[in-house]
Amino acid sequence: MNLVIVHHHLNRGGVTQVILNHLRSLHEAGAKEIFDRIVILYGGRATGWPDQPEPALEGIELAVIPSIDYDTVTAVGEEAPYRATSEMLEQLGLAPEETLLHVHNHTLGKNVAWPNALARLAEAGFRMLLQLHDFAEDFRPDNYRRQVEYYGERGTGMAEVYFQAPHVDYAVLNSRDRGILEKAGFASEKLAWLPNPVQPFPALPHRADARHTLKEKLGVGPSEPYILYPVRGIRRKNVGELVLWSALALKPASFAITLAPVNPVELKPYQAWEALAAELGLPCKFDVGGDAGLSFHENLAAADAIINTSVAEGFGLVFLEAWVAGKLLIGRDLPEISADFKEAGLRLDSLAACLYIPKRCPITGREVFSEQAYRERMTELFTQVQRDFGHDELEAEDLEKQLDERLSDEWIDFALLTVEAQREVVQAVAGNQELAEAIVEENAQVMRPLTQDDANFDSTIQINSQIVLTRFGLKGTGERLRERYERLAKLQPGPVSSFNGANRILRQFVELSRFHPVRLEDA
């Protein structure tokens, strides 16, 4: 049997890292040997592929098919992805009866002709494992709409994107995604749980050296806590909440985010938060992993803790990697993402699912943000989201009622606010020490690492690191992969059909309770 791993590109990013770690996992578990050949098909971009040889990548063949890249990068005709992939497989001598395709993120809408090409390859008899990292339905309306418009002309919409066949399985990252697909009508035996693998970090630079570099380049003193957010600051990372943390810190501490976005749409709100932090004189630093900053490993070595403020993740690797780096993880929990980690034994009590903000200052009684403006903007945004997804719109009264419920308490989660309301909160906190103290007290659990000098989390870090490497390490992932590959190899090819439960996937995502406006607002 041959294994063909397929993705649009091999540029730096989460999926490329997953592919590399899958190959390392197969090597670690001794599972590479079950395949005669392992080939990677991609569109041609490969800035994330290692230059240095390593045992896990020995014998791996790479082949470029430009038409399977993003169709915003390469002009793609309707027939091109199928024809080019079919011809490449034939040219490489990879026959359907002896070849398994492991395809990443085909439903995300980055190449609208791609799902149809895969369905036709399945019709030709190729066995497949289709791994979903992200969902277009998860408040990515542009990606979703492109696919619906493309396949809607065929009368199938997203049903064709989620095609089914006896010899085609799907892989999900977590129990949430499994539950969503099962509720939509997927058979449980067709779904593989495949959490992203984690490997140990290489030896980090000496902390004293890293702190010296931190002082030289960013002006952070040797005794000042340095809280690192090791991400690219795209909108769903909720950068405003990091800025809020820097305004709330009751003792000197610096907060930092490693990288600026590349996409101009994402860069605009990032720069707006950077400008606000500078205007208010807050100890929040931006692009600290950029050209003028520290290397990734230097930043990790210098950090006193890792912070998460993201409102949405496909897998949530930070919930695992922070501990392996020997750092405490603080900030925002995402319970539907972290549930599998907690089930495995991880202690995440330094996180909280909400960061509560008062609607009115407990001291002055003044509004912390404009509730009326918030209501109006939320109504506008969510109504537009429903239209963008072609989703049945809530009646105005129902939407108003849900907003009433959200605003019925004296406190509200910061992540539920619009960008303008978040900015109002940060400005209010920066100018009112008593308000900051009230918010810290209300969120005492998650603020504890910054308010208690004697807080010691060494045992939690050690225990969690061990659990991560045991339960989510390379060897365990390699064994899961081998088990699923061997199952697929035994399946007999059968007819390919559309999935009539596709709309049920959408309905589980597009709900006001799940909607965070910061994911869609430009600034």
Side-chain angles (χ1 to χ4, degrees):
M1 181 64 69
N2 305 304
L3 173 63
V4 177
I5 298 171
V6 193
H7 188 46
H8 301 296
H9 63 80
L10 296 177
N11 272 3
R12 292 183 180 89
V15 175
T16 298
Q17 194 59 48
V18 168
I19 291 171
L20 285 166
N21 283 344
H22 278 177
L23 293 170
R24 292 165 181 146
S25 298
L26 291 171
H27 177 77
E28 189 81 10
K32 277 179 68 178
E33 289 70 21
I34 68 173
F35 294 108
D36 298 314
R37 296 167 67 189
I38 299 179
V39 179
I40 297 177
L41 303 182
Y42 67 107
R45 296 178 295 146
T47 60
W49 201 253
D51 294 327
Q52 301 299 321
E54 58 178 281
L57 304 184
E58 288 179 7
I60 304 299
E61 305 171 50
L62 274 68
V64 173
I65 306 176
S67 60
I68 71 172
D69 202 338
Y70 293 173
D71 53 21
T72 53
V73 172
T74 301
V76 175
E78 183 172 332
E79 286 291 315
Y82 169 70
R83 186 174 62 250
T85 306
S86 182
E87 289 174 357
M88 178 62 75
L89 290 168
E90 184 177 358
Q91 179 183 325
L92 292 170
L94 300 169
E97 62 272 12
E98 56 189 32
T99 302
L100 186 158
L101 306 184
H102 184 160
V103 184
H104 293 269
N105 249 3
H106 81 285
T107 69
L108 193 56
K110 294 295 190 177
N111 183 323
V112 293
W114 185 226
N116 175 255
L118 291 171
R120 293 169 69 180
L121 290 168
E123 287 173 346
F126 284 98
R127 296 167 177 83
M128 293 186 186
L129 180 63
L130 303 175
Q131 182 165 357
L132 308 184
H133 298 264
D134 306 285
F135 288 81
E137 294 87 347
D138 189 13
F139 295 103
R140 294 174 171 87
D142 292 342
N143 296 33
Y144 182 84
R145 193 168 53 246
R146 293 178 73 239
Q147 293 183 97
V148 167
E149 290 171 356
Y150 182 84
Y151 290 103
E153 295 175 358
R154 306 163 183 264
T156 57
M158 291 295 285
E160 188 169 340
V161 173
Y162 288 98
F163 66 89
Q164 308 281 299
H167 55 300
V168 173
D169 283 357
Y170 281 71
V172 294
L173 300 178
N174 51 53
S175 298
R176 180 205 67 173
D177 295 352
R178 175 191 286 275
I180 286 171
L181 294 181
E182 286 180 341
K183 287 177 184 175
F186 271 73
S188 59
E189 67 271 12
K190 303 296 288 180
L191 295 171
W193 177 57
L194 200 56
N196 289 344
V198 177
Q199 61 177 338
F201 283 99
L204 296 177
H206 194 280
R207 177 173 168 79
D209 294 336
R211 293 295 303 210
H212 178 73
T213 304
L214 183 67
K215 177 69 168 68
E216 277 192 336
K217 292 192 172 184
L218 301 178
V220 179
S223 61
E224 183 178 337
Y226 180 60
I227 315 300
L228 183 69
Y229 194 14
V231 298
R232 192 174 294 279
I234 58 177
R235 286 174 292 181
R236 67 179 172 86
K237 298 299 183 180
N238 192 20
V239 176
E241 192 164 305
L242 181 72
V243 178
L244 176 63
W245 271 82
S246 72
L248 289 171
L250 303 180
K251 298 178 181 179
S254 283
F255 293 77
I257 186 167
T258 48
L259 295 172
V262 176
N263 184 329
V265 174
E266 299 285 357
L267 184 61
K268 184 180 176 183
Y270 173 91
Q271 290 176 330
W273 283 118
E274 184 176 16
L276 182 64
E279 175 190 327
L280 298 175
L282 298 176
C284 192
K285 302 182 182 299
F286 290 74
D287 203 29
V288 299
D291 293 341
L294 285 69
S295 72
F296 178 65
H297 289 139
E298 284 176 328
N299 265 311
L300 283 182
D304 293 281
I306 304 296
I307 190 170
N308 174 61
T309 64
S310 176
V311 296
E313 292 294 331
F315 178 67
L317 206 55
V318 68
F319 292 108
L320 304 180
E321 286 191 330
W323 312 106
V324 178
K327 306 297 176 180
L328 176 69
L329 179 64
I330 66 173
R332 182 169 290 275
D333 190 9
L334 297 172
E336 64 179 14
I337 298 297
S338 63
D340 292 324
F341 310 146
K342 294 171 186 172
E343 180 69 22
L346 246 61
R347 294 164 55 183
L348 300 178
D349 50 4
S350 54
L351 304 173
C354 299
L355 182 58
Y356 289 110
I357 303 300
K359 294 189 300 179
R360 293 183 176 276
C361 177
I363 295 91
T364 65
R366 294 176 182 169
E367 277 193 332
V368 176
F369 63 93
S370 170
E371 186 174 326
Q372 183 59 35
Y374 172 72
R375 284 177 177 274
E376 292 172 0
R377 182 64 172 147
M378 281 294 294
T379 300
E380 175 189 353
L381 286 170
F382 193 67
T383 299
Q384 187 60 52
V385 162
Q386 292 173 102
R387 290 172 183 162
D388 286 345
F389 280 105
H391 197 271
D392 294 337
E393 290 183 30
L394 281 172
E395 295 290 339
E397 289 182 3
D398 291 336
L399 182 53
E400 187 68 24
K401 183 179 178 181
Q402 290 191 37
L403 287 172
D404 285 343
E405 292 173 355
R406 175 173 289 188
L407 292 162
S408 62
D409 294 332
E410 295 179 6
W411 298 75
I412 186 172
D413 183 8
F414 183 79
L416 296 177
L417 299 181
T418 60
V419 171
E420 183 54 38
Q422 286 191 345
R423 290 173 63 86
E424 290 179 71
V425 170
V426 171
Q427 288 167 329
V429 169
N432 188 330
Q433 180 74 4
E434 290 178 315
L435 174 59
E437 290 174 357
I439 294 173
V440 169
E441 184 178 348
E442 180 69 20
N443 297 278
Q445 175 195 336
V446 73
M447 294 288 172
R448 185 163 47 110
L450 295 183
T451 57
Q452 296 182 9
D453 293 331
D454 59 349
N456 191 316
F457 295 90
D458 289 348
S459 63
T460 298
I461 294 170
Q462 186 175 359
I463 291 168
N464 281 356
S465 177
Q466 180 109 27
I467 290 171
V468 169
L469 293 176
T470 302
R471 297 293 300 276
F472 300 96
L474 295 179
K475 186 174 181 181
T477 300
E479 290 167 351
R480 289 188 198 98
L481 279 169
R482 174 166 54 190
E483 181 181 333
R484 184 55 58 161
Y485 290 157
E486 289 177 340
R487 169 194 140 80
L488 275 164
K490 295 173 184 175
L491 296 177
Q492 291 303 309
V496 175
S497 61
S498 299
F499 176 58
N500 61 14
N503 283 339
R504 291 193 288 270
I505 297 174
L506 178 66
R507 285 198 294 269
Q508 292 178 76
F509 278 109
V510 183
E511 297 178 350
L512 184 64
S513 62
R514 296 179 58 90
F515 179 54
H516 296 91
V518 295
R519 297 185 63 181
L520 297 179
E521 291 190 280
D522 290 340

mmCIF file of all heavy atoms in Angstrom, residues 238-273:
data_model
loop_
_atom_site.group_PDB
_atom_site.id
_atom_site.type_symbol
_atom_site.label_atom_id
_atom_site.label_comp_id
_atom_site.label_asym_id
_atom_site.label_seq_id
_atom_site.Cartn_x
_atom_site.Cartn_y
_atom_site.Cartn_z
ATOM 1 N N ASN A 238 -8.229 37.544 19.287
ATOM 2 C CA ASN A 238 -8.806 38.444 20.289
ATOM 3 C C ASN A 238 -7.717 39.296 20.949
ATOM 4 O O ASN A 238 -7.551 39.307 22.172
ATOM 5 C CB ASN A 238 -9.568 37.604 21.332
ATOM 6 C CG ASN A 238 -10.447 38.420 22.245
ATOM 7 O OD1 ASN A 238 -10.816 39.547 21.928
ATOM 8 N ND2 ASN A 238 -10.777 37.856 23.394
ATOM 9 N N VAL A 239 -6.979 40.019 20.110
ATOM 10 C CA VAL A 239 -5.813 40.772 20.568
ATOM 11 C C VAL A 239 -6.201 41.825 21.610
ATOM 12 O O VAL A 239 -5.435 42.123 22.533
ATOM 13 C CB VAL A 239 -5.090 41.418 19.369
ATOM 14 C CG1 VAL A 239 -3.926 42.293 19.828
ATOM 15 C CG2 VAL A 239 -4.600 40.342 18.405
ATOM 16 N N GLY A 240 -7.406 42.380 21.494
ATOM 17 C CA GLY A 240 -7.840 43.386 22.453
ATOM 18 C C GLY A 240 -7.834 42.891 23.881
ATOM 19 O O GLY A 240 -7.622 43.679 24.826
ATOM 20 N N GLU A 241 -8.052 41.596 24.070
ATOM 21 C CA GLU A 241 -8.045 41.051 25.429
ATOM 22 C C GLU A 241 -6.631 41.035 26.004
ATOM 23 O O GLU A 241 -6.452 41.220 27.215
ATOM 24 C CB GLU A 241 -8.647 39.651 25.436
ATOM 25 C CG GLU A 241 -8.942 39.129 26.827
ATOM 26 C CD GLU A 241 -9.875 37.937 26.813
ATOM 27 O OE1 GLU A 241 -10.975 38.044 26.235
ATOM 28 O OE2 GLU A 241 -9.503 36.886 27.385
ATOM 29 N N LEU A 242 -5.631 40.818 25.170
ATOM 30 C CA LEU A 242 -4.247 40.914 25.638
ATOM 31 C C LEU A 242 -3.952 42.347 26.078
ATOM 32 O O LEU A 242 -3.324 42.572 27.121
ATOM 33 C CB LEU A 242 -3.285 40.496 24.528
ATOM 34 C CG LEU A 242 -1.802 40.533 24.907
ATOM 35 C CD1 LEU A 242 -1.456 39.396 25.859
ATOM 36 C CD2 LEU A 242 -0.916 40.486 23.665
ATOM 37 N N VAL A 243 -4.423 43.314 25.298
ATOM 38 C CA VAL A 243 -4.236 44.722 25.663
ATOM 39 C C VAL A 243 -4.943 45.009 26.983
ATOM 40 O O VAL A 243 -4.408 45.718 27.851
ATOM 41 C CB VAL A 243 -4.746 45.640 24.534
ATOM 42 C CG1 VAL A 243 -4.608 47.104 24.930
ATOM 43 C CG2 VAL A 243 -3.993 45.371 23.231
ATOM 44 N N LEU A 244 -6.134 44.448 27.175
ATOM 45 C CA LEU A 244 -6.851 44.633 28.441
ATOM 46 C C LEU A 244 -6.056 44.067 29.612
ATOM 47 O O LEU A 244 -5.965 44.699 30.674
ATOM 48 C CB LEU A 244 -8.223 43.969 28.365
ATOM 49 C CG LEU A 244 -9.042 43.997 29.670
ATOM 50 C CD1 LEU A 244 -9.364 45.427 30.078
ATOM 51 C CD2 LEU A 244 -10.316 43.172 29.530
ATOM 52 N N TRP A 245 -5.494 42.887 29.464
ATOM 53 C CA TRP A 245 -4.660 42.307 30.529
ATOM 54 C C TRP A 245 -3.552 43.280 30.919
ATOM 55 O O TRP A 245 -3.252 43.448 32.105
ATOM 56 C CB TRP A 245 -4.060 40.987 30.058
ATOM 57 C CG TRP A 245 -4.884 39.771 30.325
ATOM 58 C CD1 TRP A 245 -5.928 39.313 29.573
ATOM 59 C CD2 TRP A 245 -4.733 38.839 31.398
ATOM 60 N NE1 TRP A 245 -6.431 38.160 30.127
ATOM 61 C CE2 TRP A 245 -5.720 37.838 31.232
ATOM 62 C CE3 TRP A 245 -3.862 38.752 32.479
ATOM 63 C CZ2 TRP A 245 -5.852 36.771 32.126
ATOM 64 C CZ3 TRP A 245 -3.989 37.683 33.359
ATOM 65 C CH2 TRP A 245 -4.973 36.703 33.180
ATOM 66 N N SER A 246 -2.932 43.896 29.938
ATOM 67 C CA SER A 246 -1.833 44.817 30.250
ATOM 68 C C SER A 246 -2.340 46.038 31.022
ATOM 69 O O SER A 246 -1.613 46.620 31.816
ATOM 70 C CB SER A 246 -1.110 45.247 28.971
ATOM 71 O OG SER A 246 -1.887 46.139 28.194
ATOM 72 N N ALA A 247 -3.609 46.426 30.787
ATOM 73 C CA ALA A 247 -4.194 47.547 31.524
ATOM 74 C C ALA A 247 -4.621 47.138 32.920
ATOM 75 O O ALA A 247 -4.677 47.968 33.828
ATOM 76 C CB ALA A 247 -5.396 48.099 30.753
ATOM 77 N N LEU A 248 -4.919 45.844 33.112
ATOM 78 C CA LEU A 248 -5.400 45.351 34.403
ATOM 79 C C LEU A 248 -4.279 45.032 35.384
ATOM 80 O O LEU A 248 -4.504 44.974 36.593
ATOM 81 C CB LEU A 248 -6.245 44.089 34.203
ATOM 82 C CG LEU A 248 -7.620 44.254 33.563
ATOM 83 C CD1 LEU A 248 -8.223 42.892 33.244
ATOM 84 C CD2 LEU A 248 -8.548 45.046 34.472
ATOM 85 N N ALA A 249 -3.078 44.772 34.865
ATOM 86 C CA ALA A 249 -1.983 44.330 35.726
ATOM 87 C C ALA A 249 -1.744 45.349 36.842
ATOM 88 O O ALA A 249 -1.432 46.510 36.582
ATOM 89 C CB ALA A 249 -0.717 44.135 34.904
ATOM 90 N N LEU A 250 -1.914 44.893 38.092
ATOM 91 C CA LEU A 250 -1.782 45.793 39.243
ATOM 92 C C LEU A 250 -0.332 45.965 39.685
ATOM 93 O O LEU A 250 -0.021 46.808 40.511
ATOM 94 C CB LEU A 250 -2.629 45.267 40.401
ATOM 95 C CG LEU A 250 -4.128 45.080 40.081
ATOM 96 C CD1 LEU A 250 -4.884 44.547 41.294
ATOM 97 C CD2 LEU A 250 -4.744 46.380 39.591
ATOM 98 N N LYS A 251 0.542 45.111 39.144
ATOM 99 C CA LYS A 251 1.976 45.221 39.422
ATOM 100 C C LYS A 251 2.695 45.271 38.077
ATOM 101 O O LYS A 251 2.156 44.801 37.065
ATOM 102 C CB LYS A 251 2.463 44.017 40.230
ATOM 103 C CG LYS A 251 1.797 43.900 41.607
ATOM 104 C CD LYS A 251 2.288 42.657 42.330
ATOM 105 C CE LYS A 251 1.628 42.515 43.696
ATOM 106 N NZ LYS A 251 2.077 41.304 44.408
ATOM 107 N N PRO A 252 3.915 45.807 38.018
ATOM 108 C CA PRO A 252 4.622 45.896 36.728
ATOM 109 C C PRO A 252 4.739 44.530 36.046
ATOM 110 O O PRO A 252 5.179 43.551 36.651
ATOM 111 C CB PRO A 252 6.003 46.434 37.124
ATOM 112 C CG PRO A 252 5.765 47.167 38.403
ATOM 113 C CD PRO A 252 4.684 46.399 39.119
ATOM 114 N N ALA A 253 4.310 44.455 34.798
ATOM 115 C CA ALA A 253 4.408 43.239 34.000
ATOM 116 C C ALA A 253 4.278 43.643 32.541
ATOM 117 O O ALA A 253 3.541 44.580 32.208
ATOM 118 C CB ALA A 253 3.315 42.241 34.376
ATOM 119 N N SER A 254 4.990 42.959 31.675
ATOM 120 C CA SER A 254 4.898 43.220 30.241
ATOM 121 C C SER A 254 4.180 42.073 29.556
ATOM 122 O O SER A 254 4.429 40.892 29.854
ATOM 123 C CB SER A 254 6.292 43.393 29.621
ATOM 124 O OG SER A 254 6.815 44.658 29.925
ATOM 125 N N PHE A 255 3.305 42.417 28.625
ATOM 126 C CA PHE A 255 2.574 41.437 27.831
ATOM 127 C C PHE A 255 3.029 41.604 26.382
ATOM 128 O O PHE A 255 3.268 42.731 25.936
ATOM 129 C CB PHE A 255 1.072 41.663 27.961
ATOM 130 C CG PHE A 255 0.552 41.386 29.346
ATOM 131 C CD1 PHE A 255 0.750 42.299 30.371
ATOM 132 C CD2 PHE A 255 -0.112 40.201 29.631
ATOM 133 C CE1 PHE A 255 0.293 42.048 31.658
ATOM 134 C CE2 PHE A 255 -0.570 39.930 30.906
ATOM 135 C CZ PHE A 255 -0.370 40.857 31.928
ATOM 136 N N ALA A 256 3.112 40.489 25.658
ATOM 137 C CA ALA A 256 3.684 40.573 24.317
ATOM 138 C C ALA A 256 3.051 39.541 23.386
ATOM 139 O O ALA A 256 2.756 38.414 23.794
ATOM 140 C CB ALA A 256 5.193 40.346 24.385
ATOM 141 N N ILE A 257 2.860 39.942 22.135
ATOM 142 C CA ILE A 257 2.367 39.033 21.096
ATOM 143 C C ILE A 257 3.464 38.905 20.046
ATOM 144 O O ILE A 257 4.111 39.886 19.681
ATOM 145 C CB ILE A 257 1.037 39.544 20.496
ATOM 146 C CG1 ILE A 257 0.457 38.529 19.520
ATOM 147 C CG2 ILE A 257 1.187 40.909 19.855
ATOM 148 C CD1 ILE A 257 -0.988 38.835 19.139
ATOM 149 N N THR A 258 3.675 37.685 19.560
ATOM 150 C CA THR A 258 4.896 37.440 18.785
ATOM 151 C C THR A 258 4.888 37.988 17.367
ATOM 152 O O THR A 258 5.862 38.580 16.929
ATOM 153 C CB THR A 258 5.226 35.935 18.741
ATOM 154 O OG1 THR A 258 4.058 35.204 18.399
ATOM 155 C CG2 THR A 258 5.760 35.456 20.055
ATOM 156 N N LEU A 259 3.778 37.806 16.614
ATOM 157 C CA LEU A 259 3.842 38.129 15.187
ATOM 158 C C LEU A 259 2.646 38.941 14.711
ATOM 159 O O LEU A 259 1.509 38.713 15.145
ATOM 160 C CB LEU A 259 3.937 36.843 14.354
ATOM 161 C CG LEU A 259 5.209 36.013 14.529
ATOM 162 C CD1 LEU A 259 5.076 34.690 13.793
ATOM 163 C CD2 LEU A 259 6.435 36.784 14.034
ATOM 164 N N ALA A 260 2.894 39.839 13.786
ATOM 165 C CA ALA A 260 1.828 40.596 13.134
ATOM 166 C C ALA A 260 1.227 39.765 12.010
ATOM 167 O O ALA A 260 1.902 38.922 11.412
ATOM 168 C CB ALA A 260 2.387 41.899 12.570
ATOM 169 N N PRO A 261 -0.050 39.982 11.692
ATOM 170 C CA PRO A 261 -0.656 39.282 10.547
ATOM 171 C C PRO A 261 -0.005 39.698 9.236
ATOM 172 O O PRO A 261 0.569 40.787 9.125
ATOM 173 C CB PRO A 261 -2.125 39.723 10.589
ATOM 174 C CG PRO A 261 -2.341 40.276 11.951
ATOM 175 C CD PRO A 261 -1.017 40.836 12.379
ATOM 176 N N VAL A 262 -0.127 38.841 8.244
ATOM 177 C CA VAL A 262 0.352 39.142 6.897
ATOM 178 C C VAL A 262 -0.806 39.655 6.041
ATOM 179 O O VAL A 262 -0.650 40.599 5.267
ATOM 180 C CB VAL A 262 0.986 37.887 6.258
ATOM 181 C CG1 VAL A 262 1.392 38.163 4.817
ATOM 182 C CG2 VAL A 262 2.184 37.425 7.080
ATOM 183 N N ASN A 263 -1.970 39.039 6.202
ATOM 184 C CA ASN A 263 -3.168 39.427 5.459
ATOM 185 C C ASN A 263 -3.568 40.863 5.817
ATOM 186 O O ASN A 263 -3.756 41.188 6.988
ATOM 187 C CB ASN A 263 -4.300 38.453 5.821
ATOM 188 C CG ASN A 263 -5.568 38.705 5.043
ATOM 189 O OD1 ASN A 263 -5.883 39.827 4.674
ATOM 190 N ND2 ASN A 263 -6.315 37.646 4.791
ATOM 191 N N PRO A 264 -3.724 41.751 4.816
ATOM 192 C CA PRO A 264 -4.073 43.157 5.105
ATOM 193 C C PRO A 264 -5.379 43.312 5.882
ATOM 194 O O PRO A 264 -5.500 44.222 6.712
ATOM 195 C CB PRO A 264 -4.190 43.785 3.712
ATOM 196 C CG PRO A 264 -3.376 42.906 2.818
ATOM 197 C CD PRO A 264 -3.491 41.521 3.371
ATOM 198 N N VAL A 265 -6.349 42.439 5.637
ATOM 199 C CA VAL A 265 -7.628 42.510 6.356
ATOM 200 C C VAL A 265 -7.410 42.241 7.841
ATOM 201 O O VAL A 265 -8.020 42.875 8.703
ATOM 202 C CB VAL A 265 -8.645 41.510 5.766
ATOM 203 C CG1 VAL A 265 -9.918 41.483 6.596
ATOM 204 C CG2 VAL A 265 -8.965 41.872 4.325
ATOM 205 N N GLU A 266 -6.534 41.304 8.149
ATOM 206 C CA GLU A 266 -6.230 40.973 9.541
ATOM 207 C C GLU A 266 -5.305 42.005 10.179
ATOM 208 O O GLU A 266 -5.359 42.254 11.381
ATOM 209 C CB GLU A 266 -5.587 39.583 9.623
ATOM 210 C CG GLU A 266 -6.451 38.440 9.118
ATOM 211 C CD GLU A 266 -7.559 38.069 10.088
ATOM 212 O OE1 GLU A 266 -7.626 38.655 11.181
ATOM 213 O OE2 GLU A 266 -8.370 37.193 9.747
ATOM 214 N N LEU A 267 -4.452 42.606 9.355
ATOM 215 C CA LEU A 267 -3.449 43.543 9.878
ATOM 216 C C LEU A 267 -4.087 44.831 10.407
ATOM 217 O O LEU A 267 -3.626 45.394 11.409
ATOM 218 C CB LEU A 267 -2.438 43.875 8.778
ATOM 219 C CG LEU A 267 -1.257 44.768 9.168
ATOM 220 C CD1 LEU A 267 -0.423 44.114 10.259
ATOM 221 C CD2 LEU A 267 -0.395 45.069 7.938
ATOM 222 N N LYS A 268 -5.160 45.275 9.784
ATOM 223 C CA LYS A 268 -5.785 46.557 10.168
ATOM 224 C C LYS A 268 -6.222 46.585 11.633
ATOM 225 O O LYS A 268 -5.842 47.493 12.377
ATOM 226 C CB LYS A 268 -6.955 46.850 9.234
ATOM 227 C CG LYS A 268 -7.614 48.195 9.483
ATOM 228 C CD LYS A 268 -8.770 48.422 8.510
ATOM 229 C CE LYS A 268 -9.495 49.724 8.819
ATOM 230 N NZ LYS A 268 -10.677 49.920 7.928
ATOM 231 N N PRO A 269 -7.026 45.610 12.126
ATOM 232 C CA PRO A 269 -7.403 45.652 13.545
ATOM 233 C C PRO A 269 -6.219 45.431 14.482
ATOM 234 O O PRO A 269 -6.177 46.009 15.577
ATOM 235 C CB PRO A 269 -8.443 44.534 13.678
ATOM 236 C CG PRO A 269 -8.288 43.682 12.471
ATOM 237 C CD PRO A 269 -7.753 44.552 11.391
ATOM 238 N N TYR A 270 -5.253 44.623 14.073
ATOM 239 C CA TYR A 270 -4.047 44.411 14.873
ATOM 240 C C TYR A 270 -3.327 45.741 15.096
ATOM 241 O O TYR A 270 -2.933 46.087 16.223
ATOM 242 C CB TYR A 270 -3.144 43.410 14.145
ATOM 243 C CG TYR A 270 -1.774 43.195 14.748
ATOM 244 C CD1 TYR A 270 -1.561 42.198 15.687
ATOM 245 C CD2 TYR A 270 -0.681 43.962 14.341
ATOM 246 C CE1 TYR A 270 -0.298 41.971 16.229
ATOM 247 C CE2 TYR A 270 0.580 43.748 14.869
ATOM 248 C CZ TYR A 270 0.771 42.754 15.816
ATOM 249 O OH TYR A 270 2.025 42.537 16.339
ATOM 250 N N GLN A 271 -3.165 46.516 14.030
ATOM 251 C CA GLN A 271 -2.473 47.799 14.136
ATOM 252 C C GLN A 271 -3.284 48.801 14.958
ATOM 253 O O GLN A 271 -2.706 49.650 15.655
ATOM 254 C CB GLN A 271 -2.186 48.356 12.744
ATOM 255 C CG GLN A 271 -1.121 47.563 11.995
ATOM 256 C CD GLN A 271 -0.903 48.064 10.581
ATOM 257 O OE1 GLN A 271 -1.828 48.585 9.928
ATOM 258 N NE2 GLN A 271 0.312 47.919 10.074
ATOM 259 N N ALA A 272 -4.612 48.684 14.891
ATOM 260 C CA ALA A 272 -5.451 49.577 15.696
ATOM 261 C C ALA A 272 -5.243 49.309 17.186
ATOM 262 O O ALA A 272 -5.176 50.251 17.992
ATOM 263 C CB ALA A 272 -6.918 49.390 15.321
ATOM 264 N N TRP A 273 -5.128 48.039 17.568
ATOM 265 C CA TRP A 273 -4.863 47.710 18.977
ATOM 266 C C TRP A 273 -3.452 48.150 19.373
ATOM 267 O O TRP A 273 -3.237 48.646 20.485
ATOM 268 C CB TRP A 273 -5.032 46.213 19.215
ATOM 269 C CG TRP A 273 -6.457 45.783 19.300
ATOM 270 C CD1 TRP A 273 -7.117 44.920 18.476
ATOM 271 C CD2 TRP A 273 -7.419 46.205 20.282
ATOM 272 N NE1 TRP A 273 -8.429 44.785 18.869
ATOM 273 C CE2 TRP A 273 -8.634 45.545 19.981
ATOM 274 C CE3 TRP A 273 -7.359 47.064 21.381
ATOM 275 C CZ2 TRP A 273 -9.783 45.735 20.739
ATOM 276 C CZ3 TRP A 273 -8.505 47.257 22.146
ATOM 277 C CH2 TRP A 273 -9.698 46.601 21.821
#
